Amino acid sequence: MNIYIRGPLAFETAERLYGENREFLEDRFAGFFLKQFERIRDDVCLSCSPEQYEYAAEISEGGIFRALWEMGDKLGCGLEAGLDLIPVRQEVVEILELFNESPYECASKGSWLIVSDKDYRSFSGSLELTWIGRTCDSRARMIIEGD
């Protein structure tokens, strides 16, 4: 089955850091950059219809890495995912790096990990899912960096 992400990964943590350190970040980044960051809120997915998928869970504490492991446990399967396929907005990365946070381990309320036997990669509707990998029959869980 296919593994997808919906919504802006690690935005919850970056938004919290932004709120706590706004003055510091305003001195560090251009206003245009921070406006782009604020617009990411529009992509937050506050609800998802889990019943239309084989599996759907909001990405919470522990980030995408923890969510993938919990998905494997729940479905009793392994997984193969590409680290370079996991979508993280550059604005989020920049803010998190200043505070030594990994976007892959950050809380991501409003982002969902979805598993479906349907291939949404060529789907042209309003549903914005990013394909990051697939489940596999073995219990091995692999997140591959690069090719």
Side-chain angles (χ1 to χ4, degrees), residues 34-133:
L34 294 174
K35 290 216 181 304
Q36 282 183 294
F37 173 77
E38 291 169 357
R39 280 190 222 121
I40 296 172
R41 168 141 294 292
D42 297 338
D43 297 331
V44 170
C45 179
L46 296 177
S47 65
C48 184
S49 301
E51 65 278 354
Q52 72 185 33
Y53 308 109
E54 280 66 32
Y55 177 86
E58 192 166 27
I59 300 169
S60 59
E61 292 299 321
I64 185 63
F65 287 163
R66 181 175 178 183
L68 285 165
W69 257 246
E70 288 175 353
M71 181 262 323
D73 288 344
K74 180 91 171 174
L75 296 178
C77 66
L79 64 96
E80 295 175 2
L83 188 64
D84 58 331
L85 298 174
I86 297 173
V88 185
R89 298 278 300 267
Q90 189 61 38
E91 298 87 351
V92 170
V93 170
E94 297 292 332
I95 289 171
L96 293 176
E97 281 183 351
L98 285 175
F99 299 96
N100 296 315
E101 296 280 352
S102 165
Y104 307 107
E105 298 174 358
C106 288
S108 297
K109 183 176 183 160
S111 297
W112 292 78
L113 180 65
I114 294 171
V115 175
S116 177
D117 58 357
K118 294 181 183 159
D119 187 350
Y120 290 103
R121 287 177 280 187
S122 60
F123 186 71
S124 61
S126 62
L127 187 63
E128 293 186 25
L129 298 176
T130 301
W131 185 86
I132 63 164

